[in-house]
Amino acid sequence: MMRDDALNQIEQLLAEQKRMAERLDHVERKLDRQLGERAGAQSIDQTDTVSMLRMACAERGVIVTADGRVGENDAAALLGKASQTLRNWRAGARPLPFSKIGGTVTYHLQDLAELLDGGKSDA
């Protein structure tokens, strides 16, 4: 009986996760359209990109620290890259500013925005 309840809870959680993923896809497509429209008219202000990253974090339930940092896996997802890609960049020729405290790597949304906007590095 308890096993059936646990399975039902897992199924409900998976269904909710699927709904959230679909909503996130919808929001990301909308942001892509808005970015495309803006890029055609003018260059995108970096503050807008940071705001869009914050909105994406809110939609995904990503925790953003008070100073605007996200974890490595979340940063990779926001950039559309694998976490291993960010690790390779840290060790290689494509430096992306990061902080490492107690083995946890974090990235500033501002730095991710610069990367997305073609600032310091190219994505």
Side-chain angles (χ1 to χ4, degrees):
M1 186 70 159
M2 289 183 67
R3 183 180 171 105
D4 291 338
D5 290 340
L7 288 174
N8 285 335
Q9 286 180 336
I10 290 170
E11 288 174 353
Q12 289 174 352
L13 288 171
L14 289 172
E16 179 63 23
Q17 184 178 20
K18 182 179 178 182
R19 284 189 297 274
M20 290 176 68
E22 290 169 354
R23 174 72 177 136
L24 176 61
D25 287 341
H26 172 75
V27 170
E28 287 177 338
R29 284 192 303 274
K30 185 176 179 179
L31 286 172
D32 286 342
R33 280 193 307 272
Q34 290 174 345
L35 284 171
E37 290 169 4
R38 284 181 153 178
Q42 64 184 10
S43 64
I44 300 169
D45 181 359
Q46 208 167 40
T47 305
D48 290 341
T49 305
V50 173
S51 296
M52 289 182 190
L53 286 171
R54 284 187 180 279
M55 287 183 354
C57 287
E59 284 289 327
R60 294 176 181 200
V62 171
I63 296 172
V64 179
T65 64
D67 64 344
R69 292 178 182 273
V70 294
E72 179 179 46
N73 292 334
D74 296 321
L78 289 168
L79 294 173
K81 305 289 183 189
S83 296
Q84 185 62 46
T85 300
L86 272 60
R87 288 184 209 115
N88 291 341
W89 287 356
R90 285 198 308 271
R94 297 181 96 178
L96 177 62
F98 70 96
S99 294
K100 189 170 185 179
I101 301 171
T104 301
V105 175
T106 61
Y107 294 87
H108 276 288
L109 290 178
Q110 181 69 36
D111 294 327
L112 299 179
E114 288 176 11
L115 181 72
L116 289 171
D117 289 341
K120 293 179 182 175
S121 303
D122 294 317

